[in-house]
Amino acid sequence: MDKFLINGPCKIKGKVLISGSKNASLPILAATLLFDKPVIINNLPRVRDINTMLNLLKSLGSKIILSKDKKTAKIINKRNMKTYASYSLVKTMRGSILVLGPLVAKYYKSKTSLPGGCLIGARPVNFHLTALKKLGMRYKIKDGYILAKSNGKLKGSTIKFPKISVGATENSIIASCLAKGKTILKNCAIEPEIKDLTNFLNSAGAKIKWSGRTCKIIGVNSLNQTEYSIMADRIEAGTFCVAATLARGNLQINNLNPKIIRTELNLLKKIGAKIKIDTDKILIKGPDKIKSINNIKTKEFPGIPTDLQAQLMVLMCRADGKSSITERIFENRFMHVAELQRLGAKINIKNNKAYIDGNTKFIGAELMSSDLRASVALVLAAIVADGKSSINRIYHLDRGYEKIEEKLKKIGVKIKRVK
Ligand code: EPZ
């Protein structure tokens, strides 16, 4: 298993090119199952989760032609696709549950493995199943699989999500595109990645309209051929902005619309970063002194994203006083804390709240990755730590960050990947 060797502390300076968003690519790739005609998707990130999703589509019968740089996929579905999404593929990437809605909407049946939990929580899919059932899907759970079918086309309905869920919102929007009649989804997640999904579907003739957290979809018979470019990854951009703030860096983050990380940038300004924005770039300079912020809370968009919580915790370890972070989205997303404590961090956890003493001097150590975002937090800590750190099991990182060591090397980080 690969690991990273990082020799800290590092000064970071230079330009970073942000890759396409993993969390916009996954629902958009799943939604290509609705199409009879070829679909071209540009700006895909070259990360493991995208390979997994492409392999899943291939296992269902899609023909996928990848460009040389693997950032463009042309997807051609067969007339009769398979509708079985195996556990072997779904277990490696929970986002595979997003094929359930399109398969039932298009082929009126599907045998899709339950994704199971992961390190950050139980990750149930009850909101997905309840919503799809309201659209006419019938299902039973057997041997860890969802055996689903519908009696012909799904039928439009009004659905109010009991809790805001990114995946359940995406599955329902995708399925409603081919349903008969109108669907109204209330209390939707409104992450930018979901807007990217609905822009993609509308570019192919879907009829989707938003007002606040309500999404209205008028079903159509079929979708047209289309070509679409995935939006930039706001979590990757946020991660590099935290890195600049943490390491007194001076970075230019390119090809991202700063509006989609406005909340994060406002928080980093409060912490002391100097930030200038342009239409598609961010100039960020880290402060000499990092201000501590009390009671940072992760929230659904447009709040502080849970996918940035671990990275912000590293920042607060180096702040000039006490701070706290409350994780409100997942029930167990503090795996990075034990690893940060091995680097010298002073953090106490009470339920879903972390209390952080600041002014930590990280000392390089041997570290273990756990989930995707916790792993990148360890990289950030190693960048400012005194001495050598090695970070094991970086396959977690490869799931969601495209060639991160190359991007980090380019801005001055002394990092090496060893097999
Ligand atoms: C998406 O996960 C993202 N994944 C996650 O990013 C992200 O952290 C999360 O949204 C929140 O923003 C992808 O987009 C592929 P949810 P998702 O449904 O859709 C509970 C990363 O690092 N819930 O909004 O699974 C759930 O347990 C990943 O890129 C139910 O109870 O998140 C959680 O506590 C990690 N029942 C909360 O809702 C359901 O049916 C929010 O989950 C669905 C969710």
Side-chain angles (χ1 to χ4, degrees), residues 84 108 400 412:
Y84 168 62
Y108 311 148

Side-chain angles (χ1 to χ4, degrees), residues 22-23 123-127 163 165-167 307 329-330 373:
K22 164 179 87 82
N23 290 352
R123 310 290 295 273
V125 290
N126 52 323
F127 302 152
K163 198 175 150 206
S165 159
V166 170
D307 293 348
I329 305 293
F330 289 109
R373 309 302 175 182

Side-chain angles (χ1 to χ4, degrees), residues 97-156:
I97 187 71
L98 293 171
V99 303
L100 175 64
L103 286 174
V104 176
K106 178 83 179 155
Y107 300 99
Y108 311 148
K109 68 181 165 73
S110 164
K111 177 178 177 183
T112 301
S113 167
L114 277 167
C118 73
L119 279 165
I120 63 179
R123 310 290 295 273
V125 290
N126 52 323
F127 302 152
H128 299 237
L129 297 173
T130 313
L132 292 171
K133 192 171 170 199
K134 280 210 78 174
L135 292 171
M137 178 182 89
R138 295 286 162 266
Y139 73 93
K140 64 178 187 233
I141 309 281
K142 192 165 178 295
D143 308 330
Y145 279 86
I146 303 162
L147 307 179
K149 63 179 187 314
S150 75
N151 206 348
K153 277 183 170 252
L154 292 173
K155 289 174 191 55

Side-chain angles (χ1 to χ4, degrees), residues 212-231:
R213 287 192 182 276
T214 298
C215 185
K216 281 192 190 123
I217 305 108
I218 310 277
V220 294
N221 277 330
S222 68
L223 294 170
N224 314 320
Q225 188 153 334
T226 188
E227 174 160 359
Y228 190 79
S229 264
I230 300 284
M231 66 178 275

